[in-house]
Amino acid sequence: MKRGIYGKYNNKEYKIIADMNDNILIMTEDKAKIDQTFKETNRGGIFKKIVEPQELSECESIFSYCLIDDVKVNLIQEREYQYQIETSDLLIGIKLNLPRIDRDKWLGWIPKSNVTLIEERKPFNPLDLM
């Protein structure tokens, strides 16, 4: 499941973010995609590198959500056989039998087989991060 901005650098796909200094960073957990120019983050296991926007290609903004019985819900994370979903809609929370965790939030796990995963992809200009 992908969420965020992704693009290619040297024909390899990376997640793209901007830091507080308006630097554009590419990030990965895949050691096969890195070289000595990447730095490991404080969280460990995640590697990042500052790049110039013109070094990136095929950039996309990716947003994932799911449909359950034609009801659109937010997709939070996934496990091997389940998705964690959330909604702020009382009627949807009740209909899907989700536990209420806050005044306006229902959150729960649902089998992947009950879900239609939707991934919206839109072209993205990395200069918009600066």
Side-chain angles (χ1 to χ4, degrees), residues 24 51-57 126-127 130:
I24 295 177
V51 298
E52 295 297 324
Q54 58 272 19
E55 296 178 282
L56 299 169
S57 64
L127 290 171
M130 302 179 86

Side-chain angles (χ1 to χ4, degrees), residues 2 11 13 19 33 41 46 55-58 61 65 69-70 72 74-75 91 94-96 103 114 128-129:
K2 290 183 182 178
N11 294 319
E13 186 178 65
D19 67 12
K33 290 176 151 182
T41 64
I46 300 173
E55 296 178 282
L56 299 169
S57 64
E58 300 178 40
S61 174
Y65 63 92
D69 299 328
D70 295 325
K72 182 178 177 179
N74 295 327
L75 188 56
L91 297 177
I94 291 170
K95 178 180 179 180
L96 299 176
R103 184 176 71 93
N114 295 359
D128 291 342
L129 292 171

Side-chain angles (χ1 to χ4, degrees), residues 25-92:
L25 303 162
I26 55 173
M27 301 177 68
T28 185
E29 294 178 9
D30 186 350
K31 287 186 177 184
K33 290 176 151 182
I34 67 168
D35 59 24
Q36 71 280 1
T37 62
F38 282 76
K39 306 268 189 263
E40 191 167 6
T41 64
N42 293 335
R43 295 188 303 188
I46 300 173
F47 302 91
K48 65 182 179 179
K49 176 180 179 168
I50 296 175
V51 298
E52 295 297 324
Q54 58 272 19
E55 296 178 282
L56 299 169
S57 64
E58 300 178 40
C59 296
E60 295 180 305
S61 174
I62 301 172
F63 176 74
S64 298
Y65 63 92
C66 59
L67 293 175
I68 304 167
D69 299 328
D70 295 325
V71 174
K72 182 178 177 179
V73 293
N74 295 327
L75 188 56
I76 304 301
Q77 59 181 326
E78 70 178 311
R79 293 181 184 158
E80 188 173 354
Y81 299 107
Q82 296 178 310
Y83 288 120
Q84 186 179 38
I85 59 171
E86 71 153 358
T87 185
S88 59
D89 186 302
L90 167 68
L91 297 177
I92 293 172

